[in-house]
Amino acid sequence: MEQDVISAPASTQKGRPREFCVDQALASALHVFWAKGYDGASMTDLTEAMGITKPSLYAAFGNKEALFHKALDLYEQEKLEYGRAALEQPTARKVAEHYLRGAIEIHGGASDPKGCMGLISSLACSPEAESIKADVVRRRASSQRLLVERFERAKAEGDIPAHVDAEGLTSVLYALLQGITVQAGAGATRAELERLVDTSMMLWPSA
């Protein structure tokens, strides 16, 4: 994908405006928000990580809130592919297992910040940033609807018992997902997280 490059506004010193890569700057902002949450990420944190000035940030992305929404778009696109892939698994059990093990890979990996960017930002969100929490909640609800639909299909196919509540099962799966992200952020080891998934799958309803 071709990267956008824009010229940063000229500083008080004379000279040609500095160019920077918008995609790279956004990726850097993503990591700041992921590590610190929306409220915890200061403008200084963001501009230093992105390698740009505040006027350049405003010119390219709008304000901090707009930058977060763009970073969250990138986060979903690049980091949450495992959730979309889970829906394509042949059985409901494999859907759940793919979802949870994918969460371990992303939220408990070695190269990225621990935990879930959306969860971190929505849990520690000031009253002034309610729109951030609302956006995270809206995105989560959309993902949950897809899971409910997938589990309803599994019931119709006889893959899980007809008496199982698809919405309730989705809520359980999300509670496990959030547990993984919180424990990963708190320092749980990969083995501990894997054991959580292994035990959860032993409790999965079978037809």
Side-chain angles (χ1 to χ4, degrees):
M1 181 177 66
E2 185 177 351
Q3 295 181 328
D4 293 328
V5 177
I6 69 171
S7 296
S11 65
T12 54
Q13 298 178 343
K14 293 183 179 180
R16 182 180 177 182
R18 180 170 58 88
E19 293 184 341
F20 69 93
C21 174
V22 173
D23 291 344
Q24 291 178 357
L26 182 58
S28 297
L30 163 60
H31 273 74
V32 174
F33 284 129
W34 193 349
K36 298 190 174 186
Y38 177 78
D39 281 338
S42 69
M43 289 297 290
T44 299
D45 293 331
L46 291 165
T47 54
E48 287 182 353
M50 298 166 75
I52 60 177
T53 62
K54 286 184 181 180
S56 298
L57 186 154
Y58 293 135
F61 301 102
N63 57 18
K64 178 185 175 183
E65 182 178 338
L67 174 62
F68 179 84
H69 292 305
K70 290 183 174 68
L72 196 54
D73 286 339
L74 181 62
Y75 175 77
E76 287 193 342
Q77 176 185 335
E78 293 191 347
K79 305 300 182 180
L80 302 187
E81 173 59 31
Y82 71 87
R84 293 183 287 273
L87 296 170
E88 302 302 321
Q89 299 304 305
T91 66
R93 179 189 176 88
K94 287 185 178 297
V95 168
E97 186 170 8
H98 192 97
Y99 214 93
L100 296 177
R101 297 202 189 281
I104 292 176
E105 290 290 337
I106 296 299
H107 305 302
S111 59
D112 288 319
K114 305 293 185 182
C116 172
M117 175 179 164
L119 184 61
I120 292 168
S121 296
S122 62
L123 289 179
C125 199
S126 65
E128 293 77 19
E130 277 300 309
S131 67
I132 298 299
K133 184 174 183 178
D135 187 23
V136 172
V137 170
R138 177 186 60 78
R139 292 170 189 251
R140 182 170 64 234
S142 177
S143 297
Q144 287 179 314
R145 281 196 302 272
L146 294 176
L147 280 168
V148 170
E149 291 172 1
R150 179 63 183 84
F151 291 150
E152 289 287 4
R153 193 182 95 198
K155 287 173 61 176
E157 294 172 347
D159 180 33
I160 54 177
H163 70 270
V164 172
D165 178 7
E167 291 189 8
L169 194 59
T170 298
S171 294
V172 170
L173 184 58
Y174 252 78
L176 290 167
L177 172 67
Q178 291 173 338
I180 287 172
T181 61
V182 171
Q183 290 187 37
T189 65
R190 177 67 175 263
E192 290 170 335
L193 297 176
E194 292 284 1
R195 186 165 63 245
L196 186 155
V197 175
D198 291 341
T199 304
S200 300
M201 290 298 95
M202 291 173 63
L203 304 175
W204 191 259
S206 57

